[in-house]
Amino acid sequence: MSNLISAAIFYVTAVYVLILPVIPEKFKYHGLSLTGDTLLGLICGLYLIAIVVSPSARHRFLAGIKDFFTDSLSLSLTVLLVMMLLSVSYAAEKGLALSETARFLSYLVFFFIIKYEINDYRRLKRLLQLFFLISALLSILGFIQYFTGVGLNEKFFVQQSFGATARVAATLDNPNSFGGFLILSLFPLLLLTINSRKPSAKGAYGLMALLVLTGIMFTFSRNAWLGVALGFVVLALTYSLRLFILLGGVGALALFTPLLNRRLHDIFNSSQNESRVKLWQPALAKSK
C-alpha cells in the first residue's frame, strides 16, 4: 500500500510538471486552476494519506520536519512566508494578499514533499529531465510564435522603427513569465552539459540549453536577460571563470544584433521603467 501511494505521488507530480506550464492559467473554476491547483491538491492529499497509513512515510515526514527547520534554504522560504503573512495586515487588497500567501504555502508544501518523500535519485532525475524537455519544447513553440505570430496577444508586439517585433510568451501569460520560467532550467542544463561524461547526454543537454537560451532572447524580457547575465557571473565565480568567455560571447551577440541591442538600451529607458518605479515607491514607503 505504501509503495502504491508513493508511486501515485510520483506520477501525479510528473503530470503536474508536464502540464502546469502548458495549460494556460485562464482555465479556472471559482478562481482555482483546473489543472495546476487540482493536481497540487491531489498530491498533498495523497501525501497526507501516505503519512496516515505508512509508518515509513511518517518516519520520513518527522525526519523531514527536523531537517526542514535547520536547512538554510528551507528557513529562507519560511521567513518569506512569514513576511507575506505579515503583509496581509496592511495590504489594500487583503483577500488577494491572503490568496497569494496561501498559494506560496502550497508551493512550500510541494517543495517539502519532493525533498523528503520523492527522495529517490531515479525519480528525481526523471522529473528534472521532464522539466528540461518541456522547457526546450516551449522554446521551440516560442520560435514558431516569433516567426508566425500564432497564439500571441497583440500587446506582445513591440513597435520598432523598422516594424513590429513579437515578444514570445509560448503558453504562459506574458513574455516576462516565460523568460523567468526558462531561466529555471538554463543553468542546470549548462552544468549538466559541462559535467556529463556520455557524449550523447552532453549533446542532448547542450542542445536543450541552446534552445532555452535562444528562447529567453526571443522573450525580449529585460528582467530575464539581466537574470541570465547575473546567473552567468555567479556561476563563473563559483564554478569556472572560463564561463565568462561564454557570457562574453552571448553579450557580443546581443550587442551586434540590432534588435537585441535596442532592447538592451531600453533597460535604462526611464519612460519604460516609470510604471515599475511607481510600484516600488509605496513598497519602499511601507518598509521605512
Side-chain angles (χ1 to χ4, degrees), residues 143-165:
F143 305 156
I144 296 173
Q145 284 185 334
Y146 180 77
F147 291 107
T148 66
V150 174
L152 277 181
N153 191 301
E154 289 184 1
K155 65 182 180 181
F156 298 149
F157 286 88
V158 180
Q159 192 66 35
Q160 304 282 3
S161 58
F162 50 84
T165 300

Side-chain angles (χ1 to χ4, degrees), residues 3-284:
N3 291 336
L4 182 62
I5 297 175
S6 179
I9 292 174
F10 167 72
Y11 285 114
V12 176
T13 300
V15 174
Y16 180 73
V17 171
L18 175 66
I19 71 172
L20 182 64
V22 175
I23 305 298
E25 290 188 3
K26 63 183 179 181
F27 296 112
K28 294 184 177 182
Y29 181 74
H30 291 299
L32 294 177
S33 168
L34 297 179
T35 54
D37 293 335
T38 302
L39 288 175
L40 186 56
L42 179 58
I43 293 168
C44 294
L46 287 171
Y47 185 54
L48 287 175
I49 294 173
I51 293 174
V52 172
V53 304
S54 171
S56 59
R58 282 197 299 275
H59 174 76
R60 289 191 296 270
F61 171 74
L62 293 174
I65 288 291
K66 181 179 179 181
D67 179 74
F68 188 85
F69 289 104
T70 57
D71 178 72
S72 57
L73 175 60
S74 302
L75 283 174
S76 299
L77 294 173
T78 304
V79 170
L80 179 57
L81 175 64
V82 172
M83 292 173 65
M84 292 180 69
L85 283 170
L86 292 175
S87 70
V88 175
S89 63
Y90 60 79
E93 296 288 343
K94 296 187 184 301
L96 178 61
L98 189 59
S99 66
E100 291 304 312
T101 302
R103 183 176 295 276
F104 182 77
L105 174 61
S106 68
Y107 293 149
L108 192 59
V109 172
F110 185 48
F111 168 74
F112 183 94
I113 294 172
I114 291 178
K115 185 174 183 179
Y116 299 109
E117 181 61 26
I118 313 178
N119 191 16
D120 177 84
Y121 174 78
R122 289 177 297 178
R123 288 180 172 178
L124 290 175
K125 182 179 179 181
R126 290 172 184 171
L127 288 177
L128 282 174
Q129 289 174 336
L130 180 61
F131 173 61
F132 296 149
L133 179 61
I134 290 298
S135 299
L137 291 176
L138 289 182
S139 296
I140 295 174
L141 176 59
F143 305 156
I144 296 173
Q145 284 185 334
Y146 180 77
F147 291 107
T148 66
V150 174
L152 277 181
N153 191 301
E154 289 184 1
K155 65 182 180 181
F156 298 149
F157 286 88
V158 180
Q159 192 66 35
Q160 304 282 3
S161 58
F162 50 84
T165 300
R167 297 182 59 202
V168 302
T171 56
L172 278 76
D173 55 348
N174 63 64
N176 291 329
S177 298
F178 186 39
F181 171 78
L182 292 180
I183 287 177
L184 294 176
S185 61
L186 175 62
F187 293 102
L189 280 170
L190 288 174
L191 286 175
L192 286 168
T193 302
I194 295 170
N195 294 325
S196 294
R197 297 180 179 180
K198 295 182 179 180
S200 58
K202 185 180 288 289
Y205 288 131
L207 176 60
M208 286 190 287
L210 181 60
L211 288 172
V212 168
L213 181 59
T214 310
I216 292 173
M217 289 184 178
F218 279 128
T219 64
F220 292 95
S221 169
R222 296 174 298 166
N223 295 332
W225 289 358
L226 285 173
V228 169
L230 291 174
F232 268 114
V233 170
V234 172
L235 193 60
L237 292 175
T238 58
Y239 186 79
S240 173
L241 294 177
R242 288 179 294 181
L243 288 173
F244 277 117
I245 300 175
L246 181 58
L247 176 60
V250 174
L253 174 64
L255 290 175
F256 287 101
T257 304
L259 193 58
L260 300 178
N261 194 355
R262 287 187 180 91
R263 188 60 178 163
L264 282 174
H265 280 93
D266 284 342
I267 292 176
F268 306 101
N269 189 325
S270 59
S271 63
Q272 294 202 22
N273 295 329
E274 184 179 2
S275 60
R276 289 180 171 86
V277 173
K278 286 182 178 179
L279 290 174
W280 295 338
Q281 286 174 342
L284 290 172

